[in-house]
Amino acid sequence: MSLAGKVAIVGIGQTAFGKGLVPPERALACEAIIAALDDAGIPAQEIDAVSSYTMEATPDYEIVRSVGLGPLHFFSQAPHGGGAGPAAVGHAALAIASGVARNAVVWRARKRSGAGSRVWAQTGAVIEDVWKWSRPSGILRPVDEVAITTRRYFHEYGDGSEALATVATTLRDYAQANPAAMMHGKPMSREAYFQSRMVADPLRLFDNCLESDGACALVLTSAERARDLPGPAVLIEGFSQGLVPGTQPMPDFHRTDTFTNSSAITAANLWRQTDLTPAAVDVAQFYDAFSPLILFSLEAYGFCGRGEARDFILSQGIGAGGALPVNTAGGSLSEAYLHGMNLILEGVRQLRGTAATPVADARVALVTGCDATPNGALLLRRPD
Amino acid sequence: MIANIPLPARDGPFEEGFWSALDAGTLAHQRCRDCRRWHFPPRHRCSDCGGALAYEPVSGRGRLWSFTVVHAPVLPAFAPFTPFVAAVVELDEQPGLRMAGYLVHRAGDPINAVAPQSLTIGMPLRAVIQPLSEDVRWPQWELISEDETA
Ligand SMILES: [Zn+2]
C-alpha cells in the first residue's frame, strides 16, 4: 500500500497577508477557502472532508455553514502548532486515498499581528504543561528555546551567524519578487541584518518570523478526478509525520542527541515511501518560524550531512539559481507567518509553474513542518 | 524571588519525589532500577527498558550545555531583569540529563546576575536549591572553578 500518486492538490487560495487586517479570522478563512474552491473548479457542496490545525480558531462546523460545504464524512485537526501544516494536508489525503472521503478542504487562518495574541504571552500564573520545566527559569518564548539549541549547534559545528544572515537576506530577496509578501518593497542588506537588535542571542530580530494576519486554503481530490478538472494538479508523492521519543515541544533539550529529532523521524519515513531521493528535489519549503530551523531541516531531510548546513547555504546556495532554492515566496521570515500553510501553497505554485520566482522545470517539491516540534512533511510532484 | 513569576504545577503525574526532594533542599531525579538510566522530565517507567523508576539524589554537579541572552519583550514578571541569561545544564550523572535554571555567582542571586561574557559552554556548575515562590523550589546553578569539581 502506498499513498504515492493517489491524491492531488487541485486548488489553492489565500487572502491578503498583513498586519491589522480588518476581517475576523473566520471571514479570512472563508475568503481563502472560496478562492481555493474556485481555483479547483469543485463546487462547495462536493467537499466532504476538512482538515486544519488543533490551534485553528475557526471551528469546522462554522466553516461548513459559512461556506456551504458538505455534508462531511471526515474532519481532522493536526497537533503541534507549526509542526501541523503538512499533517493537516496529509490527513485529508489519507482520507481520500482510502475512500473515506472524496474531496477535501484544508485551511489555516490567523490574526497574529497584535502583540497580545502571541501564544507565549498567554502564560498563566501556574504552568501545567511541558513548559513548567523551563519557563520559570527564564526560557520564556519559542525564540529562546530555539536560540539555546542554536547556540549548542554552533558550539558543536562552528559559528553559523553568516549562514543565518544568508537565510534571512535570501528570503527577503525572494519577497521582493512576490507582491503578496509582507516584506515586498522592503529589501534588506546584510548590514541591516547584522545591525538588527538581538532578541535571544544569537538570534536577531530578522531571524524571527513575521507576525501576520491572513488565511490560506487548499483543495484536494483523487488523482483520478484531478485529470478531469480544468486546472493543473500537483500529486502527493509521500507524507509522514514524525515524533521522536523523548521530545518536548519546543524546549527539546532532554534527549541525548538533540539534533536527531522529529524531523529525522519524518524524513526517514518519507524517503522510505518513494524512489525519489533528496537529489530529485527541485525546490524546498522548510518551516522557518526561526532562521536556524532551515539549517536543521537541510540536514534532517538529507540535503547535507550533520553540521554541514552552514557550508551548504554559503557555498551551494538556497537562493534563485542555488543548488536548492528554499522558501521561494519569502517564507515565514518575509512573506507571511501563516503557521507554514503559505509554504505549502508556494510548493504547489512552483510545480504549477506559477511562482513569483519560478524554479526552472520544477518537478519535485518538499514541504516540511516545524523542526522544533513533532512535525510532518509532504513530498509533492508534477503528474507528468 | 521574582514577583508574579509563572510557577510549575506541583501535582503532575510521576513528580512527587522531584518536588519533595526540592522541599528538603536536595535535587533528585528518577532512575531505572534495572538499567540504571536517569530520566528527566518525569515519566511512568523507564523509556529505555520499561523498568520501574525511583527517585534518587543526584550530585548537583553539572556543566553548561547551552544558553541564550533573553532581550525584551518578555513576560511582565521578567521584564525588570532583561537582558538576562537563560541556561540549560547537563548533569554530571549522564549525557542528556538536562535541566533549565538560572546561573548565579552565589545562591540567591537574581536571574540577571551573571554576565554572558563570562560564560563558556561546558563550564562547571553546582546546584543550589532556592525558592521560586513560598511553595516551589528549583535549583539555581552556581558558577564554580574546575578546582571545585573534584
Ligand atoms: Zn531502564
Side-chain angles (χ1 to χ4, degrees), chain A residues 35-374:
Chain A
L37 289 167
D38 290 349
D39 184 44
I42 293 182
Q45 294 76 14
E46 292 185 29
I47 297 299
D48 65 344
V50 298
S51 181
S52 191
Y53 296 42
T54 54
M55 287 182 74
E56 175 63 33
T58 63
D60 47 13
Y61 56 87
E62 296 284 7
I63 294 296
V64 166
R65 186 172 58 81
S66 299
V67 179
L69 307 180
L72 299 191
H73 301 126
F74 180 89
F75 27 95
S76 175
Q77 290 189 319
H80 302 303
V89 174
H91 292 181
L94 292 171
I96 292 168
S98 65
V100 171
R102 293 187 301 174
N103 310 296
V105 156
V106 183
W107 84 100
R108 183 78 176 108
R110 290 197 112 187
K111 292 194 78 169
R112 264 282 291 265
S113 62
S117 69
R118 295 168 193 183
V119 176
W120 61 263
Q122 321 292 324
T123 304
V126 176
I127 308 173
E128 304 275 356
D129 57 18
V130 56
W131 284 283
K132 71 197 291 181
W133 307 117
S134 56
R135 210 159 273 180
S137 294
I139 305 172
L140 303 177
R141 309 160 296 185
V143 66
D144 304 322
E145 296 157 350
V146 173
I148 286 173
T149 310
T150 301
R151 184 181 296 275
R152 181 69 197 188
Y153 177 90
F154 288 0
H155 172 75
E156 292 191 16
Y157 302 110
D159 178 58
S161 302
E162 293 293 334
L164 297 187
T166 296
V167 167
T169 54
T170 301
L171 270 51
R172 187 63 70 92
D173 289 347
Y174 282 128
Q176 302 319 304
N178 174 13
M182 289 174 67
M183 288 298 166
H184 181 70
K186 297 175 184 171
M188 177 174 67
S189 68
R190 219 172 165 81
E191 293 68 32
Y193 167 84
F194 278 113
Q195 283 163 12
S196 71
R197 65 183 168 86
M198 282 290 181
V199 175
D201 197 331
L203 301 184
R204 300 172 177 280
L205 177 64
F206 294 129
D207 293 306
N208 289 260
C209 61
L210 302 165
E211 296 293 355
S212 311
D213 296 350
C216 289
L218 301 98
V219 175
L220 280 65
T221 190
S222 66
E224 191 179 357
R225 178 168 189 195
R227 284 191 284 274
D228 300 329
L229 292 170
V234 166
L235 296 179
I236 294 175
E237 171 72 8
F239 158 65
S240 183
Q241 291 175 271
L243 187 157
V244 70
T247 192
Q248 298 275 91
M250 298 177 39
D252 195 13
F253 316 128
H254 297 289
R255 295 172 301 103
T256 308
D257 178 6
T258 290
F259 298 108
T260 302
N261 60 12
S262 293
S263 294
I265 305 297
T266 297
N269 195 46
L270 189 73
W271 298 123
R272 179 189 63 77
Q273 299 171 43
T274 177
D275 294 331
L276 299 174
T277 66
V281 174
D282 299 301
V283 58
Q285 310 294 326
F286 293 125
Y287 184 87
D288 57 344
F290 307 101
S291 60
L293 301 182
I294 291 185
L295 277 70
F296 304 154
S297 300
L298 279 165
E299 297 177 7
Y301 286 90
F303 294 96
C304 58
R306 174 62 64 212
E308 295 174 0
R310 296 176 311 141
D311 289 343
F312 185 95
I313 288 166
L314 294 174
S315 59
Q316 301 200 50
I318 59 171
L324 182 70
V326 167
N327 297 13
T328 45
S332 309
L333 298 183
S334 280
E335 185 190 36
Y337 184 50
L338 262 292
H339 234 169
M341 195 60 92
N342 51 317
L343 299 173
I344 305 178
L345 267 59
E346 173 65 5
V348 171
R349 284 192 296 263
Q350 284 290 356
L351 300 183
R352 286 177 162 189
T354 58
T357 303
V359 173
D361 197 34
R363 311 183 71 80
V364 178
L366 174 69
V367 188
T368 71
C370 180
D371 177 80
T373 63

Side-chain angles (χ1 to χ4, degrees), chain B residues 32-37 39 46-53:
Chain B
C32 178
R33 287 181 172 141
D34 296 333
C35 76
R36 306 303 289 153
R37 291 274 300 173
H39 295 290
C46 178
S47 38
D48 291 316
C49 80
L53 299 176

